[in-house]
Amino acid sequence: MIYNLQILRAIAAFLVLFVHIDLFARPLGIEKRWLEFGNAGVDLFFVLSGFLMVHTASRKPPAASAFAANRVLRVVPLYWVCTLAVFLIAATRPELLGATRASWLELLKSLMFIPFIKSNGLAMPVLFVGWTLNYEMFFYAVFAAFLWLTRSNVRRTAFLSIGMLALIVIFGAWVRPAPVEVRFFAHPIVLEFALGMGVALALGQDRTIPRRMALPLLAVALAALIYGALLGSGLPRAIVCGIPAAIVLLCAVSLERSGNCFRHRAVQLLGDASYALYLTHAFVLQGIGKLLPAKASTTTVLLAMVGAFALAQCLAILVHMVVERPMTRRLRMMFQQHRTAPVQTQPTLAEEL
Protein backbone atom coordinates (compact mmCIF):
# COMPACT_ATOMS: atom_id res chain seq x y z
CA MET A 1 0.00 0.00 0.00
CA ILE A 2 1.32 3.42 -0.98
CA TYR A 3 -0.86 5.71 1.08
CA ASN A 4 -0.14 8.88 -0.86
CA LEU A 5 -1.51 7.23 -3.98
CA GLN A 6 -4.81 6.74 -2.18
CA ILE A 7 -4.95 10.51 -1.82
CA LEU A 8 -4.32 10.90 -5.55
CA ARG A 9 -7.12 8.45 -6.31
CA ALA A 10 -9.51 10.41 -4.09
CA ILE A 11 -8.47 13.69 -5.74
CA ALA A 12 -8.84 12.20 -9.22
CA ALA A 13 -12.37 10.95 -8.57
CA PHE A 14 -13.35 14.26 -6.95
CA LEU A 15 -12.05 16.25 -9.94
CA VAL A 16 -14.16 14.21 -12.37
CA LEU A 17 -17.32 15.25 -10.51
CA PHE A 18 -16.88 18.84 -11.72
CA VAL A 19 -17.13 17.76 -15.36
CA HIS A 20 -20.67 16.50 -14.76
CA ILE A 21 -22.25 19.39 -12.82
CA ASP A 22 -23.51 21.16 -15.94
CA LEU A 23 -27.10 21.02 -14.66
CA PHE A 24 -25.98 23.12 -11.69
CA ALA A 25 -23.50 25.30 -13.58
CA ARG A 26 -25.98 26.44 -16.25
CA PRO A 27 -28.31 28.31 -13.82
CA LEU A 28 -25.23 29.88 -12.24
CA GLY A 29 -24.04 31.21 -15.59
CA ILE A 30 -20.94 29.01 -15.62
CA GLU A 31 -19.98 27.80 -19.09
CA LYS A 32 -19.32 24.10 -19.48
CA ARG A 33 -15.81 24.75 -20.81
CA TRP A 34 -14.79 26.17 -17.43
CA LEU A 35 -15.52 22.80 -15.87
CA GLU A 36 -13.09 20.99 -18.15
CA PHE A 37 -10.36 21.15 -15.49
CA GLY A 38 -12.09 18.16 -13.90
CA ASN A 39 -10.88 15.99 -16.78
CA ALA A 40 -7.47 16.09 -15.10
CA GLY A 41 -8.83 13.35 -12.84
CA VAL A 42 -8.88 10.94 -15.79
CA ASP A 43 -5.23 11.69 -16.59
CA LEU A 44 -4.31 10.99 -12.98
CA PHE A 45 -6.21 7.70 -13.06
CA PHE A 46 -4.47 6.53 -16.24
CA VAL A 47 -0.98 7.41 -15.03
CA LEU A 48 -1.72 5.76 -11.68
CA SER A 49 -2.87 2.59 -13.46
CA GLY A 50 0.34 2.35 -15.45
CA PHE A 51 2.44 2.84 -12.34
CA LEU A 52 0.52 0.42 -10.13
CA MET A 53 0.56 -2.44 -12.63
CA VAL A 54 4.37 -2.35 -12.77
CA HIS A 55 4.89 -1.58 -9.08
CA THR A 56 2.63 -4.31 -7.71
CA ALA A 57 3.69 -6.90 -10.28
CA SER A 58 7.38 -6.23 -9.51
CA ARG A 59 6.90 -7.16 -5.86
CA LYS A 60 5.50 -10.58 -6.73
CA PRO A 61 5.47 -11.27 -10.48
CA PRO A 62 2.11 -12.86 -11.33
CA ALA A 63 1.25 -15.31 -14.07
CA ALA A 64 -0.50 -13.62 -16.98
CA SER A 65 -3.73 -15.51 -16.27
CA ALA A 66 -3.72 -14.52 -12.59
CA PHE A 67 -3.02 -10.89 -13.50
CA ALA A 68 -5.86 -10.82 -16.05
CA ALA A 69 -8.29 -12.50 -13.65
CA ASN A 70 -7.40 -10.08 -10.87
CA ARG A 71 -8.02 -7.05 -13.10
CA VAL A 72 -11.30 -8.43 -14.39
CA LEU A 73 -12.54 -9.18 -10.87
CA ARG A 74 -11.53 -5.71 -9.74
CA VAL A 75 -13.08 -3.71 -12.58
CA VAL A 76 -15.90 -5.66 -14.17
CA PRO A 77 -18.47 -6.59 -11.45
CA LEU A 78 -19.36 -3.10 -10.21
CA TYR A 79 -19.15 -1.65 -13.71
CA TRP A 80 -21.59 -4.25 -14.99
CA VAL A 81 -23.98 -3.56 -12.11
CA CYS A 82 -23.97 0.19 -12.84
CA THR A 83 -24.25 -0.38 -16.61
CA LEU A 84 -27.28 -2.63 -16.16
CA ALA A 85 -28.83 -0.01 -13.88
CA VAL A 86 -28.51 2.63 -16.63
CA PHE A 87 -29.88 0.19 -19.21
CA LEU A 88 -32.90 -0.43 -16.97
CA ILE A 89 -33.52 3.32 -16.75
CA ALA A 90 -33.20 3.61 -20.54
CA ALA A 91 -35.75 0.81 -20.98
CA THR A 92 -38.29 2.15 -18.48
CA ARG A 93 -37.72 5.94 -18.33
CA PRO A 94 -35.86 6.95 -21.51
CA GLU A 95 -36.87 10.60 -21.07
CA LEU A 96 -34.45 10.80 -18.13
CA LEU A 97 -31.48 10.08 -20.36
CA GLY A 98 -29.94 11.78 -23.34
CA ALA A 99 -28.19 9.76 -26.04
CA THR A 100 -28.39 6.48 -24.12
CA ARG A 101 -31.03 4.09 -25.40
CA ALA A 102 -32.17 0.58 -24.53
CA SER A 103 -30.24 -1.13 -27.33
CA TRP A 104 -29.23 -4.73 -26.64
CA LEU A 105 -26.31 -4.45 -29.08
CA GLU A 106 -25.01 -1.32 -27.35
CA LEU A 107 -25.43 -3.02 -23.98
CA LEU A 108 -23.42 -6.04 -25.15
CA LYS A 109 -20.65 -3.84 -26.54
CA SER A 110 -20.58 -1.84 -23.31
CA LEU A 111 -20.28 -4.97 -21.17
CA MET A 112 -17.50 -6.28 -23.44
CA PHE A 113 -15.60 -2.93 -23.47
CA ILE A 114 -16.03 -2.49 -27.22
CA PRO A 115 -16.28 1.18 -28.24
CA PHE A 116 -19.13 2.38 -30.44
CA ILE A 117 -20.57 5.72 -31.55
CA LYS A 118 -23.73 6.91 -29.81
CA SER A 119 -26.44 9.00 -31.40
CA ASN A 120 -24.70 12.14 -30.06
CA GLY A 121 -21.59 11.30 -32.09
CA LEU A 122 -19.45 10.36 -29.08
CA ALA A 123 -17.74 7.02 -28.45
CA MET A 124 -19.28 6.28 -25.07
CA PRO A 125 -20.82 3.12 -23.60
CA VAL A 126 -24.23 2.81 -21.94
CA LEU A 127 -22.73 4.13 -18.68
CA PHE A 128 -21.03 7.13 -20.26
CA VAL A 129 -18.15 7.36 -17.77
CA GLY A 130 -17.21 3.84 -18.81
CA TRP A 131 -15.25 5.14 -21.82
CA THR A 132 -12.20 5.33 -19.56
CA LEU A 133 -12.67 1.69 -18.56
CA ASN A 134 -12.50 0.70 -22.22
CA TYR A 135 -8.99 2.15 -22.20
CA GLU A 136 -8.15 0.54 -18.86
CA MET A 137 -9.15 -2.92 -20.04
CA PHE A 138 -7.27 -2.42 -23.30
CA PHE A 139 -4.13 -1.54 -21.35
CA TYR A 140 -4.58 -4.54 -19.06
CA ALA A 141 -4.90 -6.81 -22.12
CA VAL A 142 -1.63 -5.45 -23.56
CA PHE A 143 0.17 -5.83 -20.22
CA ALA A 144 -1.17 -9.36 -19.66
CA ALA A 145 -0.16 -10.41 -23.18
CA PHE A 146 3.45 -9.36 -22.60
CA LEU A 147 3.46 -10.92 -19.15
CA TRP A 148 2.63 -14.18 -20.88
CA LEU A 149 5.21 -13.70 -23.64
CA THR A 150 8.01 -12.78 -21.21
CA ARG A 151 7.04 -15.44 -18.66
CA SER A 152 6.23 -12.81 -16.03
CA ASN A 153 9.39 -10.74 -16.47
CA VAL A 154 7.82 -7.48 -15.29
CA ARG A 155 10.60 -5.14 -16.42
CA ARG A 156 10.59 -6.52 -19.95
CA THR A 157 6.78 -6.52 -19.91
CA ALA A 158 6.75 -2.82 -19.04
CA PHE A 159 9.22 -1.87 -21.77
CA LEU A 160 7.38 -3.94 -24.37
CA SER A 161 4.02 -2.52 -23.29
CA ILE A 162 5.35 1.04 -23.59
CA GLY A 163 6.64 0.25 -27.07
CA MET A 164 3.40 -1.40 -28.12
CA LEU A 165 1.26 1.54 -26.94
CA ALA A 166 3.51 3.92 -28.88
CA LEU A 167 3.22 1.76 -32.01
CA ILE A 168 -0.57 1.63 -31.67
CA VAL A 169 -0.75 5.43 -31.51
CA ILE A 170 1.50 5.75 -34.57
CA PHE A 171 -0.59 3.18 -36.43
CA GLY A 172 -3.79 5.02 -35.57
CA ALA A 173 -2.35 8.30 -36.88
CA TRP A 174 -1.24 6.61 -40.11
CA VAL A 175 -4.41 4.64 -40.97
CA ARG A 176 -7.07 6.76 -42.67
CA PRO A 177 -9.97 6.15 -42.63
CA ALA A 178 -9.98 3.91 -39.58
CA PRO A 179 -12.83 2.05 -37.88
CA VAL A 180 -14.09 3.43 -34.60
CA GLU A 181 -12.25 0.76 -32.58
CA VAL A 182 -8.88 1.77 -34.09
CA ARG A 183 -9.56 5.49 -33.71
CA PHE A 184 -10.56 4.95 -30.09
CA PHE A 185 -7.78 2.69 -28.84
CA ALA A 186 -5.07 4.45 -30.87
CA HIS A 187 -5.83 7.81 -29.25
CA PRO A 188 -2.63 9.37 -27.79
CA ILE A 189 -4.24 9.32 -24.33
CA VAL A 190 -3.14 5.66 -24.02
CA LEU A 191 0.42 6.96 -23.72
CA GLU A 192 -0.50 8.10 -20.20
CA PHE A 193 -0.37 4.43 -19.16
CA ALA A 194 3.13 4.36 -20.63
CA LEU A 195 4.09 7.43 -18.60
CA GLY A 196 2.92 5.72 -15.41
CA MET A 197 4.94 2.61 -16.25
CA GLY A 198 7.93 4.83 -16.95
CA VAL A 199 7.66 6.39 -13.48
CA ALA A 200 7.53 2.90 -11.92
CA LEU A 201 10.63 1.80 -13.86
CA ALA A 202 12.51 4.98 -12.95
CA LEU A 203 11.72 4.76 -9.23
CA GLY A 204 12.00 0.99 -8.83
CA GLN A 205 11.22 -0.22 -5.32
CA ASP A 206 13.36 2.24 -3.37
CA ARG A 207 14.58 5.19 -5.46
CA THR A 208 13.27 8.66 -4.74
CA ILE A 209 13.82 12.36 -5.37
CA PRO A 210 14.80 14.72 -2.51
CA ARG A 211 11.96 16.10 -0.41
CA ARG A 212 13.12 19.69 -0.95
CA MET A 213 12.56 19.15 -4.67
CA ALA A 214 9.43 17.00 -4.44
CA LEU A 215 7.22 19.50 -2.60
CA PRO A 216 7.62 22.52 -4.92
CA LEU A 217 7.63 20.27 -7.98
CA LEU A 218 4.38 18.70 -6.82
CA ALA A 219 2.71 22.11 -6.53
CA VAL A 220 3.93 23.21 -9.98
CA ALA A 221 2.88 19.91 -11.58
CA LEU A 222 -0.62 20.06 -10.06
CA ALA A 223 -1.06 23.61 -11.35
CA ALA A 224 0.18 22.56 -14.80
CA LEU A 225 -2.17 19.57 -14.82
CA ILE A 226 -5.22 21.68 -13.99
CA TYR A 227 -4.19 24.37 -16.48
CA GLY A 228 -3.61 21.80 -19.22
CA ALA A 229 -7.00 20.15 -18.67
CA LEU A 230 -8.75 23.53 -18.63
CA LEU A 231 -7.11 25.37 -21.50
CA GLY A 232 -4.85 22.91 -23.28
CA SER A 233 -2.29 24.05 -25.84
CA GLY A 234 -3.10 22.24 -29.05
CA LEU A 235 -0.64 19.47 -28.17
CA PRO A 236 -1.72 15.86 -27.50
CA ARG A 237 -3.36 15.36 -24.11
CA ALA A 238 -0.68 12.84 -23.13
CA ILE A 239 1.81 15.72 -23.23
CA VAL A 240 -0.30 18.57 -21.85
CA CYS A 241 -1.88 16.58 -19.00
CA GLY A 242 -0.09 13.22 -18.94
CA ILE A 243 3.38 14.57 -18.20
CA PRO A 244 2.23 16.82 -15.30
CA ALA A 245 0.18 13.89 -13.92
CA ALA A 246 3.27 11.67 -14.09
CA ILE A 247 5.30 14.30 -12.22
CA VAL A 248 2.57 14.52 -9.56
CA LEU A 249 2.79 10.75 -9.19
CA LEU A 250 6.58 10.82 -9.03
CA CYS A 251 6.50 13.43 -6.26
CA ALA A 252 3.77 11.66 -4.26
CA VAL A 253 5.70 8.37 -4.21
CA SER A 254 8.99 10.12 -3.41
CA LEU A 255 7.42 12.03 -0.52
CA GLU A 256 6.06 8.82 0.99
CA ARG A 257 9.44 7.12 0.72
CA SER A 258 10.96 10.15 2.43
CA GLY A 259 8.59 9.75 5.38
CA ASN A 260 5.89 12.19 4.29
CA CYS A 261 2.99 9.78 4.30
CA PHE A 262 -0.64 10.79 4.78
CA ARG A 263 -2.48 7.93 6.49
CA HIS A 264 -5.63 9.66 7.75
CA ARG A 265 -8.37 7.03 7.77
CA ALA A 266 -11.03 9.25 6.24
CA VAL A 267 -8.84 10.14 3.29
CA GLN A 268 -7.80 6.52 2.81
CA LEU A 269 -11.47 5.52 2.78
CA LEU A 270 -12.15 8.12 0.10
CA GLY A 271 -9.34 6.61 -1.92
CA ASP A 272 -10.76 3.11 -1.46
CA ALA A 273 -14.19 4.34 -2.58
CA SER A 274 -12.83 6.32 -5.56
CA TYR A 275 -13.82 3.66 -8.11
CA ALA A 276 -17.35 3.47 -6.71
CA LEU A 277 -17.54 7.27 -6.74
CA TYR A 278 -16.41 7.39 -10.36
CA LEU A 279 -19.09 4.92 -11.44
CA THR A 280 -22.01 6.17 -9.35
CA HIS A 281 -21.61 9.94 -9.10
CA ALA A 282 -23.56 10.61 -12.29
CA PHE A 283 -26.67 8.96 -10.82
CA VAL A 284 -26.63 11.46 -7.96
CA LEU A 285 -25.53 14.61 -9.80
CA GLN A 286 -27.84 14.11 -12.75
CA GLY A 287 -30.73 13.01 -10.53
CA ILE A 288 -30.57 16.00 -8.19
CA GLY A 289 -29.82 18.34 -11.09
CA LYS A 290 -33.02 17.29 -12.89
CA LEU A 291 -35.05 17.92 -9.72
CA LEU A 292 -34.01 21.58 -9.54
CA PRO A 293 -36.83 24.03 -10.29
CA ALA A 294 -36.47 25.82 -13.62
CA LYS A 295 -36.10 29.20 -11.91
CA ALA A 296 -34.25 28.18 -8.77
CA SER A 297 -32.35 30.92 -6.97
CA THR A 298 -28.56 31.04 -6.93
CA THR A 299 -28.55 30.06 -3.26
CA THR A 300 -30.78 27.06 -3.94
CA VAL A 301 -28.58 25.88 -6.80
CA LEU A 302 -25.40 26.24 -4.75
CA LEU A 303 -26.88 24.36 -1.81
CA ALA A 304 -28.18 21.65 -4.12
CA MET A 305 -24.76 21.30 -5.74
CA VAL A 306 -22.94 21.02 -2.41
CA GLY A 307 -25.54 18.53 -1.21
CA ALA A 308 -25.16 16.52 -4.42
CA PHE A 309 -21.39 16.37 -3.96
CA ALA A 310 -21.78 15.19 -0.38
CA LEU A 311 -24.47 12.66 -1.25
CA ALA A 312 -22.42 11.31 -4.15
CA GLN A 313 -19.49 10.71 -1.82
CA CYS A 314 -21.69 9.08 0.83
CA LEU A 315 -23.30 6.82 -1.76
CA ALA A 316 -19.86 5.85 -3.09
CA ILE A 317 -18.65 4.86 0.38
CA LEU A 318 -21.84 2.88 0.96
CA VAL A 319 -21.55 1.10 -2.40
CA HIS A 320 -17.88 0.39 -1.77
CA MET A 321 -18.47 -1.12 1.67
CA VAL A 322 -21.77 -2.91 1.04
CA VAL A 323 -21.49 -3.94 -2.61
CA GLU A 324 -18.05 -3.55 -4.18
CA ARG A 325 -15.77 -4.86 -1.44
CA PRO A 326 -17.84 -7.93 -0.42
CA MET A 327 -18.59 -8.80 -4.05
CA THR A 328 -14.94 -8.52 -5.11
CA ARG A 329 -13.75 -10.50 -2.09
CA ARG A 330 -16.27 -13.26 -2.74
CA LEU A 331 -15.41 -13.52 -6.44
CA ARG A 332 -11.70 -13.65 -5.70
CA MET A 333 -12.25 -16.41 -3.15
CA MET A 334 -14.21 -18.36 -5.73
CA PHE A 335 -11.44 -17.86 -8.29
CA GLN A 336 -8.76 -18.99 -5.83
CA GLN A 337 -10.79 -22.05 -4.87
CA HIS A 338 -11.20 -22.91 -8.54
CA ARG A 339 -7.46 -22.58 -9.17
CA THR A 340 -6.46 -24.67 -6.16
CA ALA A 341 -9.16 -27.34 -6.54
CA PRO A 342 -7.69 -30.79 -7.28
CA VAL A 343 -8.12 -31.92 -10.85
CA GLN A 344 -10.62 -34.76 -11.11
CA THR A 345 -9.31 -37.56 -13.32
CA GLN A 346 -10.69 -40.90 -14.35
CA PRO A 347 -9.22 -43.78 -12.28
CA THR A 348 -6.85 -46.11 -14.09
CA LEU A 349 -7.57 -49.82 -14.45
CA ALA A 350 -4.96 -50.57 -11.78
CA GLU A 351 -6.62 -48.15 -9.32
CA GLU A 352 -10.02 -49.69 -9.95
CA LEU A 353 -8.61 -53.16 -9.26
Side-chain angles (χ1 to χ4, degrees):
M1 172 70 73
I2 302 179
Y3 293 96
N4 285 355
L5 298 193
Q6 289 290 86
I7 301 174
L8 292 186
R9 290 176 62 192
I11 291 173
F14 185 72
L15 282 171
V16 172
L17 266 64
F18 286 94
V19 183
H20 304 134
I21 60 170
D22 48 293
L23 293 178
F24 301 98
R26 200 177 301 126
L28 296 175
I30 301 174
E31 296 182 32
K32 187 173 177 60
R33 64 190 180 95
W34 294 114
L35 303 173
E36 294 296 318
F37 72 91
N39 284 316
V42 172
D43 304 290
L44 269 177
F45 273 131
F46 284 178
V47 171
L48 277 166
S49 290
F51 174 87
L52 286 170
M53 294 310 100
V54 176
H55 175 75
T56 55
S58 297
R59 297 170 64 188
K60 186 179 179 181
S65 59
F67 170 83
N70 183 275
R71 290 294 86 202
V72 168
L73 294 176
R74 175 69 181 90
V75 172
V76 170
L78 187 60
Y79 174 62
W80 278 12
V81 169
C82 294
T83 296
L84 292 172
V86 174
F87 184 80
L88 182 62
I89 295 173
T92 57
R93 297 291 302 278
E95 70 277 6
L96 296 178
L97 303 175
T100 301
R101 55 183 182 173
S103 165
W104 289 101
L105 179 59
E106 291 184 0
L107 174 63
L108 179 61
K109 287 185 175 182
S110 297
L111 297 178
M112 294 295 104
F113 303 96
I114 300 172
F116 60 90
I117 303 297
K118 277 186 171 182
S119 59
N120 59 2
L122 300 177
M124 289 184 173
V126 170
L127 178 62
F128 67 92
V129 296
W131 68 270
T132 62
L133 299 184
N134 289 350
Y135 283 119
E136 291 276 0
M137 296 302 286
F138 176 69
F139 165 57
Y140 297 152
V142 170
F143 197 85
F146 284 120
L147 268 180
W148 178 72
L149 287 172
T150 63
R151 298 183 179 181
S152 297
N153 185 312
V154 178
R155 189 173 181 83
R156 288 174 61 192
T157 293
F159 278 116
L160 289 170
S161 298
I162 291 171
M164 177 57 72
L165 291 175
L167 286 174
I168 290 170
V169 171
I170 294 171
F171 177 77
W174 176 68
V175 175
R176 290 290 187 274
V180 60
E181 295 85 359
V182 173
R183 296 200 310 272
F184 186 87
F185 289 121
H187 192 284
I189 199 172
V190 299
L191 295 177
E192 293 183 347
F193 297 112
L195 287 169
M197 288 187 284
V199 172
L201 291 171
L203 287 177
Q205 295 294 324
D206 54 7
R207 287 189 290 273
T208 183
I209 59 176
R211 180 177 179 274
R212 63 179 181 276
M213 290 178 55
L215 280 173
L217 189 58
L218 175 64
V220 172
L222 274 173
L225 174 60
I226 298 298
Y227 178 85
L230 182 60
L231 300 177
S233 65
L235 295 173
R237 184 166 170 176
I239 295 176
V240 177
C241 296
I243 291 177
I247 295 173
V248 169
L249 170 65
L250 175 69
C251 295
V253 175
S254 295
L255 285 170
E256 176 147 341
R257 291 179 179 178
S258 301
N260 298 95
C261 176
F262 198 77
R263 297 180 180 233
H264 195 282
R265 285 188 177 182
V267 177
Q268 295 302 317
L269 178 59
L270 294 179
D272 288 337
S274 60
Y275 182 53
L277 177 62
Y278 182 76
L279 292 181
T280 62
H281 73 271
F283 292 95
V284 177
L285 297 185
Q286 294 294 310
I288 294 180
K290 290 178 184 298
L291 292 175
L292 278 174
K295 296 183 179 181
S297 66
T298 300
T299 302
T300 300
V301 174
L302 284 173
L303 289 174
M305 184 171 66
V306 172
F309 268 59
L311 183 59
Q313 190 65 76
C314 291
L315 175 64
I317 294 173
L318 181 65
V319 169
H320 168 68
M321 298 184 69
V322 177
V323 179
E324 180 189 11
R325 191 164 61 182
M327 181 169 56
T328 303
R329 184 187 298 119
R330 178 60 181 165
L331 290 172
R332 283 178 173 167
M333 287 176 58
M334 292 171 61
F335 176 72
Q336 289 296 330
Q337 290 171 0
H338 175 74
R339 290 188 65 195
T340 57
V343 178
Q344 299 295 324
T345 59
Q346 292 295 326
T348 64
L349 179 61
E351 288 172 333
E352 288 182 333
L353 293 174

